[in-house]
Amino acid sequence: MSSHHAQTRHLLERILSIEIVRVTERAAVAAARLRGLGNEKDADQAAVDAMRRELNKLPIEGTVVIGEGERDEAPMLFIGEAVGDGKGRKVDIAVDPLEGTTLCAKDMPGAIATMAMAQSGTLLNAPDVYMDKIAIGPGYAHGVVDLDAAPGDNINALAKAKGVRPADITALVLDRPRHADLIAAVRKAGASVRFISDGDIAGVIHTAEPDVTGIDIYLGIGGAPEGVLAATALACIGGQLQGRLVLDSEEKRARARQMGIADPRKKYELKDMVRGDSVFAATGVTDGSLLRGVRFRDGLIETETVVMRSATGTVRWIRAEHRQVDKFERG
Ligand code: VTB
């Protein structure tokens, strides 16, 4: 590639990393209009429609590799859908237009609109199934914790590496019956468990700043799409993440095979989920621990977004005031 080419490519990536902020902003605002109305589906659809509209304005030839459902289901941003104006760079797109639909419908903390963009062919193409995950922040030797180690051993290893007692370790876990054994084992090792009802992308991101969040490790089974999105964030801010798809039926294994997954038991490292340069963005829908939610004021909409680039590790927090409210919402 000529240096001129390399330069334009670089420039384009830099521009795109700001452009994607518009995408999550609009999805967040659309969903926020339906906060607290008890209708998860409508809120999700509103976020999807806004996200698609904005994605299609980007100068990219994008393919959704992490999305919601398959082609013939509800008109979601489906896996395989082409997005962008079709004229720019080929990129992989991962979306979770409304992460925490229940949180939004109940106007509870932590709903976000999120997406990631990466070099074409570099994101794990995961079906919409569960993923068993383990994540810690930056600064530890690789492999200090492991998905296949006993939870108690992971807590002890992490405490030792951090130079604290297991009692000083806090694990974040989704509050689900399926985690009963995991929770018991973590507590038996002496660590404490903090629960979230939804929203494990933010949960994984929080492990990167234990001093601020009080969270040292994320453990348990959540969505696979959320796992890949969290991986794109950690690829920017550092930290370790391992995941394994939960392919517990022949139907799911067949679906995974079709997406190119030969080994249904494969343990994915972060670098297997995100193999190239990526950009991650999230905008708050409801107020949360990661981001402030959308504020509607007289003639003004306020949003807060975080956008990260893996190539440089830059993290930007963007507080925006949108003034042409009608235009902003109509697209
Ligand atoms: C998690 C969480 C999501 O789904 O992935 C979780 O991050 C896992 O699924 O916000 P179950 O709800 O079936 O346990 C969400 O809670 C909702 O999409």
Side-chain angles (χ1 to χ4, degrees), residues 99-100 130 133 174 176 178 197-201 221-223 226:
E99 149 75 331
Y130 284 120
K133 312 171 198 177
L174 273 167
R176 298 290 186 276
R178 62 176 177 265
S197 70
D198 290 286
D200 71 349
I201 296 177
I221 296 173
E226 286 88 344

Side-chain angles (χ1 to χ4, degrees), residues 32 49 55 70 176 179 191 198 259 295:
D49 293 345
L55 274 173
E70 316 287 325
R176 298 290 186 276
H179 292 144
D198 290 286
M259 298 178 75
R295 293 273 193 290

Side-chain angles (χ1 to χ4, degrees), residues 200-223:
D200 71 349
I201 296 177
V204 168
I205 292 173
H206 281 330
T207 64
E209 278 189 311
D211 294 347
V212 178
T213 62
I215 297 159
D216 298 292
I217 183 167
Y218 172 87
L219 291 167
I221 296 173

Side-chain angles (χ1 to χ4, degrees), residues 116-119 122-124 227-236 241 268-279 310:
M117 188 162 61
Q119 268 171 271
T122 64
L123 284 186
L124 174 65
V228 176
L229 274 156
T232 63
L234 283 202
C236 305
L241 172 69
Y268 293 96
E269 300 284 341
L270 186 54
K271 60 174 174 36
D272 302 319
M273 295 191 239
V274 192
R275 293 181 299 263
D277 286 355
S278 60
V279 185
S310 74

Side-chain angles (χ1 to χ4, degrees), residues 94-166:
V95 301
D96 200 346
L98 181 54
E99 149 75 331
T101 51
T102 308
L103 300 175
C104 180
K106 294 184 172 173
D107 201 0
M108 285 166 65
I112 58 175
T114 184
M115 70 162 282
M117 188 162 61
Q119 268 171 271
S120 177
T122 64
L123 284 186
L124 174 65
N125 293 19
D128 195 353
V129 296
Y130 284 120
M131 179 186 270
D132 196 6
K133 312 171 198 177
I134 185 169
I136 56 172
Y140 295 104
H142 184 76
V144 62
V145 296
D146 194 285
L147 191 60
D148 290 324
D153 292 345
N154 280 328
I155 297 297
N156 287 322
L158 186 62
K160 195 167 168 220
K162 198 180 177 186
V164 299
R165 298 164 303 151

